[in-house]
Amino acid sequence: MVKKLAILLLFCYSFIKIEAQVNCFANVAIDKHSVYAQEPFKATVTVSTATWYTAPLDFDNIQISNAFILPFSRTFSTMLTVNGKQYASLQFYFIVFPYKPGNYSFPAINIRVETPPLGSSTSQKVTINTSPQKFVVKDIPQKFKGENWFVAKNVYVSEHWNKSLNNLKVGDVLKRTVVIDAKGTLPQFIPGFKNDSLDWASVYPDDPDLADTRDDYDANGKRTQTITYLLEKEGTFEMPAINIAWWNPYASRLYKRSAAGATLHVKANPNLGMLTTLKDSLSAFSAAKEAVHQHKGALRIYGILWYWFLLYALIALCLTYVVVRMIIAAYKKIRQRRRLYVVSEPYWFKKFLSAQNKTGSVVNALYAWWDRWIAKDKFPSVNQTLQDGQDKHILEEMNTYNKEVYNEGNKNALVDKDFKTLIRQLRKERTSTNEPARQVDERQDLWEES
């Protein structure tokens, strides 16, 4: 009985594990199965689960003989439908650069995944693998044999000289820097160019500087090389052009670009005593000196010389301090104006005009404004002021309102619609402009009927 129970538990465990594997799978798709040497292709890995992922994917390093593999860490999430079922999928990709003809395969990948099986919220660790994908690397076309074979999407060639090409003389040193910026390839594949010997100048090429300039989607490279020329003869000479040719695999054709040559007019130099010494120095130390020179220099912060960075930071701090002080001063000024305004007569008259026409609201607002109003022949009592003046019609309206509220007990009594208009006219006619407005402490609460 115990043995049967153990077998049953083992079977259930195996079933759960198989269920997790069935609902999580991976595959590899390559966009080209036949390429030339150096021609890249893209391998996209898709990992799908019927539920969700509870941890990042973990997979082995990939190696292919006679090829460079460029992994891209950016992962894309998507939903895939397989046999009518929805799967949460993660995609990442590699760019493969084979460099030797032959038959190869993109290897199977072991991927470790943490995901819960269907109907469960507890994740399980499972290992899934992909199938290998075969591809063929073709040899260079026969018509390009002997040439520098170079595959790229696009290439840009630029050059600059260390000095003007005018007024040259024997003994001058020229430096020509050529930059080859290639898209869709690795910097290791960018070919160099010939530095033919010249009978009118000595040529000293420096070691090239290779830079990986890849972006989030593609491989890119840049090759920078400097050639130093020591002018040894007078006359008119042609500086040779530098030509770069590459194969575009998407257009299936050859393209060319070049750094144009130049015509040099070299004048005689009566002071040639140092020419031999200069030539020996360039032969022995030019490449080393240039390399050391490139690595030395003042400290830079975010590409800015440190002293300029400190100056900019100081200016930014000063501007920030000034702006903050201005904001604080403006805030205090606005706050003070606001405090004076909320205890002023115009503010409370505005509250009276906006008071709702319901029990107590209009009359209470009228009394609050009356305390702050400075007027000719005004008494503290509203009724006394209106009795002594020519505004008995306003008093009649107030008496009618008070009678309804206090004598008849009608707490829903309303003032007439023209009541506020009459008060506005009274304020306009009797406001005194010779006396300062009375200020009432802002802490004084407005009385409200309970």
Side-chain angles (χ1 to χ4, degrees):
M1 182 67 182
V2 175
K3 184 176 181 181
K4 291 182 178 180
L5 181 60
I7 294 174
L8 179 62
L9 291 175
L10 180 62
F11 174 77
C12 292
Y13 173 77
S14 301
F15 176 78
I16 293 173
K17 189 172 181 181
I18 292 172
E19 179 68 18
Q21 291 178 343
V22 168
N23 287 282
C24 186
F25 57 90
N27 58 65
V28 175
I30 61 177
D31 61 348
K32 300 176 184 177
H33 291 270
S34 178
V35 295
Y36 286 111
Q38 298 187 20
E39 181 180 349
F41 65 87
K42 183 177 181 181
T44 303
V45 182
T46 304
V47 184
S48 303
T49 177
T51 53
W52 61 88
Y53 299 99
T54 59
L57 304 178
D58 182 26
F59 49 88
D60 298 332
N61 291 328
I62 303 173
Q63 294 183 347
I64 302 176
S65 60
N66 299 319
F68 293 110
I69 302 176
L70 198 62
F72 284 78
S73 58
R74 186 169 184 176
T75 303
F76 301 89
S77 59
T78 183
M79 294 296 296
L80 295 181
T81 302
V82 180
N83 296 328
K85 295 182 179 180
Q86 290 288 325
Y87 289 86
S89 302
L90 296 177
Q91 288 185 335
F92 53 95
Y93 65 94
F94 304 85
I95 295 182
V96 182
F97 292 85
Y99 53 83
K100 189 174 182 180
N103 296 318
Y104 304 93
S105 66
F106 191 91
I109 310 175
N110 294 321
I111 305 174
R112 288 162 289 281
V113 181
E114 290 188 25
T115 179
L118 282 172
S120 174
S121 59
T122 303
S123 64
Q124 295 183 10
K125 293 183 179 180
V126 295
T127 300
I128 56 179
N129 50 62
T130 63
S131 300
Q133 299 290 322
K134 295 182 179 180
F135 64 93
V136 177
V137 181
K138 299 179 290 186
D139 198 0
I140 300 172
Q142 188 64 36
K143 61 180 178 180
F144 297 113
K145 292 289 186 180
E147 299 289 336
N148 282 328
W149 176 251
F150 177 31
V151 178
K153 291 181 179 179
N154 205 351
V155 177
Y156 303 93
V157 181
S158 62
E159 68 172 349
H160 68 270
W161 300 83
N162 68 322
K163 62 191 302 183
S164 173
L165 300 183
N166 298 322
N167 299 319
L168 297 175
K169 60 183 180 297
V170 176
D172 284 349
V173 176
L174 288 178
K175 289 186 178 181
R176 183 187 194 184
T177 301
V178 179
V179 179
I180 304 173
D181 190 357
K183 306 301 180 183
T185 190
L186 297 175
Q188 298 91 323
F189 291 148
I190 302 176
F193 43 84
K194 293 182 180 180
N195 294 296
D196 296 330
S197 59
L198 305 174
D199 60 359
W200 48 272
S202 295
V203 182
Y204 305 94
D206 290 350
D207 291 334
D209 179 26
L210 302 180
D212 188 337
T213 58
R214 75 182 73 175
D215 53 31
D216 290 340
Y217 303 96
D218 208 350
N220 303 302
K222 185 180 293 185
R223 180 188 180 102
T224 304
Q225 186 163 7
T226 299
I227 309 99
T228 302
Y229 301 91
L230 174 61
L231 305 182
E232 298 177 340
K233 292 183 180 180
E234 63 175 297
T236 299
F237 308 102
E238 292 295 328
M239 182 66 70
I242 295 176
N243 300 307
I244 301 295
W246 74 95
W247 176 264
N248 186 320
Y250 303 96
S252 298
R253 56 173 293 188
L254 190 70
Y255 290 87
K256 293 183 179 181
R257 277 204 174 98
S258 63
T263 301
L264 305 183
H265 302 284
V266 183
K267 300 178 182 178
N269 187 353
N271 185 15
L272 295 178
M274 296 296 294
L275 182 60
T276 302
T277 302
L278 182 60
K279 184 174 181 178
D280 293 340
S281 299
L282 286 172
S283 299
F285 304 110
S286 61
K289 284 184 178 180
E290 189 68 21
V292 172
H293 177 71
Q294 290 176 357
H295 288 85
K296 289 184 177 180
L299 175 66
R300 293 178 178 268
I301 303 176
Y302 295 109
I304 306 173
L305 291 172
W306 68 268
Y307 45 84
W308 285 113
F309 180 85
L310 292 180
L311 178 61
Y312 296 152
L314 181 61
I315 293 174
L317 287 175
C318 292
L319 290 175
T320 303
Y321 174 78
V322 172
V323 171
V324 170
R325 295 291 299 176
M326 291 175 63
I327 292 175
I328 292 174
Y331 170 75
K332 289 181 176 180
K333 191 173 182 179
I334 294 172
R335 185 181 178 188
Q336 181 63 20
R337 287 185 177 181
R338 174 66 181 174
R339 293 182 63 181
L340 293 175
Y341 175 65
V342 297
V343 297
S344 65
E345 182 270 340
Y347 172 79
W348 287 95
F349 186 73
K350 185 177 179 181
K351 290 195 69 173
F352 161 72
L353 294 178
S354 61
Q356 295 184 6
N357 189 10
K358 65 180 182 179
T359 303
S361 297
V362 174
V363 175
N364 289 343
L366 174 65
Y367 291 152
W369 162 71
W370 190 271
D371 289 341
R372 295 161 174 84
W373 181 42
I374 303 299
K376 296 179 293 184
D377 303 326
K378 175 201 164 189
F379 296 94
S381 170
V382 178
N383 291 349
Q384 185 179 359
T385 303
L386 296 177
Q387 286 175 354
D388 293 346
Q390 303 298 321
D391 303 290
K392 294 184 178 181
H393 50 293
I394 301 177
L395 181 60
E396 291 175 358
E397 290 193 16
M398 288 191 62
N399 289 337
T400 302
Y401 171 79
N402 290 331
K403 181 180 178 181
E404 291 184 16
V405 173
Y406 299 108
N407 295 344
E408 300 177 4
N410 181 14
K411 293 192 177 283
N412 295 321
L414 303 177
V415 297
D416 290 341
K417 295 182 179 179
D418 61 345
F419 181 72
K420 292 181 180 180
T421 304
L422 294 174
I423 295 297
R424 182 189 285 112
Q425 184 177 357
L426 174 66
R427 176 177 179 266
K428 182 177 180 181
E429 293 174 351
R430 302 183 63 177
T431 296
S432 174
T433 57
N434 298 324
E435 300 181 43
R438 180 185 172 198
Q439 301 293 331
V440 178
D441 195 310
E442 62 180 333
R443 292 172 296 179
Q444 175 177 310
D445 295 331
L446 180 63
W447 175 82
E448 296 282 356
E449 281 188 293
S450 60

